[in-house]
């Protein structure tokens, strides 16, 4: 069934405009975003997890060592993370040095810019009030607030991908320069997060439908030239690339598992991790979680499916469905992290479906009957987005990261035995140890027999067992090795779930 959409020209002015201008609402939303991120961000916090790896690469570039994993004893050339964010961060740090507050501030600026660009894209397609309300819902979104000030690649990718949406509008004219600029911006997206290749493909398809093969060829030429240096680097390094992670078998089972995961996580990105709690941490509520997941995800997907039939919205639908096609065959989930760049599309899909429902609902509250269906739907989405966003501001005790931080700091300050450290997150430990020691990543859990040879090869001094930092994680290699070879290690520090082991001198000898 076709979902009727109100056009920009036919919708009446909202009565609430007498109380405030919609532009003011948008700026208030951006201010709220800055405050939310500012309150939630520990400005002195070092980079975490993958963000630490990106920051190591940025420091390597800044210090003229090339694109290398300098936290490792061998400082190997790196081919896993694309260079967009490290290059940007290295450029910023060139003026300030490796400053964590500056890196957090750079992320905040990128996130604010992304919200403003998405608002501009919406304003070209819908009346001012619903556009401002959806902008506000995006600004207070709890996932954008969580990563908005983090030292990670997401904020820069959010900025570039939102800019790509706006640039795609400009490229619909007969301008070769606009098509070239669009291709260069798409290359920037891919070089920041490689999943951006699907958004770049969506832009190419949309451009072909609007401007034909000449525009597409120009766009692809600029995109290819922008990606060529990175592709040459990958072919030259040939180790640790993300392409190696793509599955070679068991594709059907993987797609089924991933589809089940994202079925639940899609509404979580907008309204809070309700399904994650219901299905992972409170299993007795799994039926409620699945019921809500089916209803909410179905509503969002129905709206996104409709966008494919509307030229003004088509790029959003293409970007979402093409990206999801890749996520369904990607063997990792990252607790829904991969959905964060898709939040604007999810909001749009929910709004389109709710606008259709609002056309059949007769409001009973005063003044609401004067609002258009689109405005009522946008208000409803904003209201649903508020509770968990406010709840996420409540400070919480984080004992496990603090224990890991203290363990790394102890090794840096009090560890007397020289040599590298083995732990799961090499880049993170490198920063936490003030770059005083190099780090060897722990072998995979199924390869505990190799940890002894790694210890011998690099003359490892300490092991850090931090397996409990990860929800439902398998026992780590360090914990298994310590249990199987107690004569080779001695525990020297334990705090909470984190234990530091020192390698006995005899353990490193042949």
């Amino acid at each position: 069934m076709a979902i009727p959409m109100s056009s920009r020209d036919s919708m009446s002015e909202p009565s609430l405009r007498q109380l405030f201008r919609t532009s003011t609402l948008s700026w208030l939303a951006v201010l709220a975003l800055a405050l939310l991120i500012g309150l939630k961000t520990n400005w002195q916090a070092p980079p975490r997890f993958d963000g630490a790896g990106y920051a190591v690469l940025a420091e390597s570039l800044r210090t003229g060592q090339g694109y290398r994993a300098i936290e490792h004893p061998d400082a190997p050339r790196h081919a896993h993370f694309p260079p967009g964010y490290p290059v940007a961060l290295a450029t910023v740090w060139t003026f300030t040095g490796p400053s964590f507050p500056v890196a957090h501030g750079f992320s905040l600026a990128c996130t604010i810019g992304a919200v403003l660009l998405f608002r501009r894209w919406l304003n070209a397609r819908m009346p001012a009030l619903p556009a401002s309300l959806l902008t506000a819902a995006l600004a207070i979104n709890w996932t954008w607030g969580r990563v908005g000030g983090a030292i990670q690649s997401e904020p820069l990718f959010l900025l570039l991908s939102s800019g790509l949406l706006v640039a795609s509008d400009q490229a619909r004219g007969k301008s070769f320069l606009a098509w070239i600029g669009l291709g260069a911006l798409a290359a920037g997206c891919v070089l920041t997060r490689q999943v951006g290749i699907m958004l770049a493909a969506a832009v190419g398809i949309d451009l072909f439908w609007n401007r034909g093969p000449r525009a597409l060829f120009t766009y692809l030429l600029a995109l290819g030239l922008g990606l060529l240096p990175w592709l040459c680097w990958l072919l030259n390094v040939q180790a640790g690339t993300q392409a190696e992670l793509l599955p070679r078998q068991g594709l059907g089972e993987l797609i089924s598992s991933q589809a089940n995961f994202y079925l639940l996580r899609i509404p979580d990105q907008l309204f809070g991790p309700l399904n994650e709690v219901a299905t992972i941490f409170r299993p007795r509520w799994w039926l409620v979680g699945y019921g809500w997941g089916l209803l909410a995800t179905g509503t969002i997907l129905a709206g996104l499916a409709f966008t494919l039939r509307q030229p003004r919205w088509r790029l959003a639908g293409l970007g979402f469905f093409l990206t999801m096609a890749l996520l369904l065959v990607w063997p990792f989930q990252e607790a829904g992290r991969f959905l964060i760049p898709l939040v604007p599309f999810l909001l749009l899909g929910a709004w389109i479906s709710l606008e259709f429902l609002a056309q059949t609902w007769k409001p009973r509250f005063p003044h609401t009957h004067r609002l258009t269906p689109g405005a009522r739907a946008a208000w409803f989405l904003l209201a649903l987005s508020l509770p968990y966003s406010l709840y996420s501001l409540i400070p919480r005790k984080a004992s496990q990261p603090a224990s890991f931080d203290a363990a790394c700091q102890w090794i840096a300050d009090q560890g007397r035995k020289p040599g590298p450290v083995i732990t799961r997150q090499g880049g993170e430990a490198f920063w936490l140890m003030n770059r005083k020691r190099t780090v060897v990543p722990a072998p995979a859990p199924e390869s505990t027999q190799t940890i002894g040879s790694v210890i011998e090869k690099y003359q490892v001094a300490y092991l850090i067992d931090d397996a409990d930092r990860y929800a439902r994680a398998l026992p780590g290699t360090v914990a298994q090795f310590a249990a199987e070879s107690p004569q080779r290690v001695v525990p020297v520090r334990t705090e909470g779930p984190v234990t530091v082991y020192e390698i006995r001198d005899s353990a490193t000898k042949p």
Side-chain angles (χ1 to χ4, degrees):
M1 178 178 64
I3 301 178
M5 292 277 296
S6 302
S7 68
R8 182 182 177 90
D9 297 330
S10 64
M11 293 182 67
S12 60
E13 289 293 324
S15 62
L16 290 180
R17 190 163 185 157
Q18 298 173 1
L19 302 177
F20 53 81
R21 290 181 175 274
T22 53
S23 58
T24 302
L25 176 62
S26 296
W27 284 110
L28 287 175
V30 172
L31 177 61
L33 170 67
L35 290 175
L36 286 171
I37 295 177
L39 290 172
K40 295 172 71 171
T41 300
N42 179 354
W43 295 88
Q44 298 296 332
R48 299 289 181 181
F49 305 110
D50 285 357
Y54 280 107
V56 168
L57 293 169
E59 180 64 1
S60 179
L61 290 171
R62 187 189 72 87
T63 55
Q65 300 178 65
Y67 204 60
R68 293 180 174 274
I70 57 174
E71 83 280 14
H72 193 280
D74 295 335
R77 294 180 300 174
H78 186 85
H80 186 74
F81 295 138
Y85 179 59
V87 169
L89 188 58
T91 303
V92 173
W93 278 354
T94 298
F95 300 97
T96 66
S99 166
F100 298 151
V102 168
H104 288 296
F106 174 68
S107 292
L108 172 59
C110 288
T111 306
I112 291 175
V115 172
L116 292 174
L117 286 170
F118 184 67
R119 174 182 178 269
R120 179 177 176 181
W121 188 75
L122 285 179
N123 280 341
R125 287 163 170 77
M126 64 170 65
L129 181 58
S132 295
L133 292 171
L134 289 182
T135 299
L138 179 63
I140 65 167
N141 178 263
W142 73 278
T143 61
W144 278 42
R146 183 179 63 182
V147 305
I151 305 177
Q152 293 181 350
S153 61
E154 274 86 354
L156 180 60
F157 184 73
L158 299 179
L159 176 67
L160 294 175
S161 57
S162 296
L164 190 61
L165 294 179
V166 174
S168 67
D169 285 346
Q170 307 301 319
R172 291 185 178 184
K174 297 180 180 180
S175 170
F176 283 97
L177 290 179
W179 300 336
I180 292 173
L182 188 66
L185 187 55
C189 287
V190 179
L191 292 175
T192 303
R193 291 292 300 273
Q194 291 179 140
V195 71
I197 190 64
M198 308 311 287
L199 181 58
V203 169
I205 294 172
D206 188 64
L207 185 64
F208 175 75
W209 273 341
N210 285 292
R211 300 307 313 165
R214 185 171 60 174
L216 177 62
F217 175 79
T218 306
Y219 165 78
L220 291 178
L221 180 62
L223 174 63
L225 290 175
L227 297 180
L228 184 60
W230 176 239
L231 295 176
C232 291
W233 177 264
L234 293 177
L235 291 174
N236 187 259
V237 176
Q238 294 185 347
T241 65
Q242 293 195 29
E244 298 173 359
L245 301 177
L246 290 172
R248 302 294 189 270
Q249 55 187 2
L251 195 58
E253 182 179 352
L254 174 62
I255 292 175
S256 175
S257 173
Q258 298 294 73
N260 179 70
F261 173 83
Y262 287 114
L263 170 72
L264 299 175
R265 291 300 188 274
I266 282 177
D268 279 8
Q269 303 305 303
L270 300 184
F271 312 121
L274 307 178
N275 287 326
E276 181 179 1
V277 172
T279 57
I280 301 298
F281 301 104
R282 298 289 187 273
R284 64 179 180 275
W285 293 98
W286 72 270
L287 187 59
V288 175
Y290 271 93
W292 164 245
L294 286 170
L295 175 64
T297 301
T299 301
I300 294 170
L301 293 183
L304 285 167
F306 177 75
T307 64
L308 299 176
R309 302 171 56 185
Q310 296 292 318
R312 59 174 170 165
W313 299 119
R314 183 190 298 129
L315 182 54
L318 287 172
F320 172 80
F321 286 111
L322 288 178
T323 301
M324 284 305 305
L326 179 59
L327 295 183
L328 289 178
V329 299
W330 193 251
F332 301 102
Q333 299 163 340
E334 294 287 343
R337 173 189 167 196
F338 295 152
L339 290 174
I340 292 175
L342 299 179
V343 166
F345 300 153
L346 300 181
L347 277 172
L348 179 61
W351 177 77
I352 289 174
S353 291
L354 290 175
E355 185 199 21
F356 169 68
L357 295 175
Q359 291 176 7
T360 63
W361 172 62
K362 297 180 180 179
R364 300 179 181 178
F365 299 101
H367 305 297
T368 57
H369 66 281
R370 299 179 182 177
L371 295 175
T372 63
R376 294 202 301 270
W379 272 116
F380 185 66
L381 276 175
L382 179 59
L384 286 180
S385 301
L386 269 172
Y388 192 82
S389 295
L390 296 176
Y391 172 76
S392 65
L393 292 176
I394 300 175
R396 293 171 181 79
K397 186 178 180 180
S399 59
Q400 293 180 8
S403 299
F404 180 76
D405 293 4
C408 293
Q409 192 65 52
W410 183 90
I411 293 174
D413 296 339
Q414 302 181 43
R416 293 175 295 178
K417 186 179 179 65
V421 177
I422 287 182
T423 190
R424 191 180 308 217
Q425 285 288 342
E428 191 176 5
F430 179 72
W431 287 109
L432 290 169
M433 293 186 296
N434 301 318
R435 296 171 287 171
K436 293 180 179 179
R437 291 177 185 262
T438 55
V439 186
V440 182
E446 62 271 14
S447 306
T448 53
Q449 66 275 11
T450 66
I451 197 169
S453 60
V454 172
I455 291 172
E456 178 183 333
K457 177 179 179 181
Y458 293 107
Q459 296 295 292
V460 170
Y462 294 96
L463 312 176
I464 302 178
D465 174 22
D466 64 335
D468 288 345
R469 297 180 69 203
Y470 308 88
R472 292 197 169 190
L474 296 173
T477 311
V478 171
Q480 293 184 36
F481 178 79
E484 295 172 4
S485 308
Q487 73 283 358
R488 304 188 67 182
V489 299
V490 54
V492 292
R493 190 182 191 280
T494 299
E495 180 181 330
V498 179
T499 299
V500 177
Y501 297 94
E502 183 176 304
I503 304 298
R504 296 181 186 273
D505 290 335
S506 58
T508 60
K509 296 178 182 179

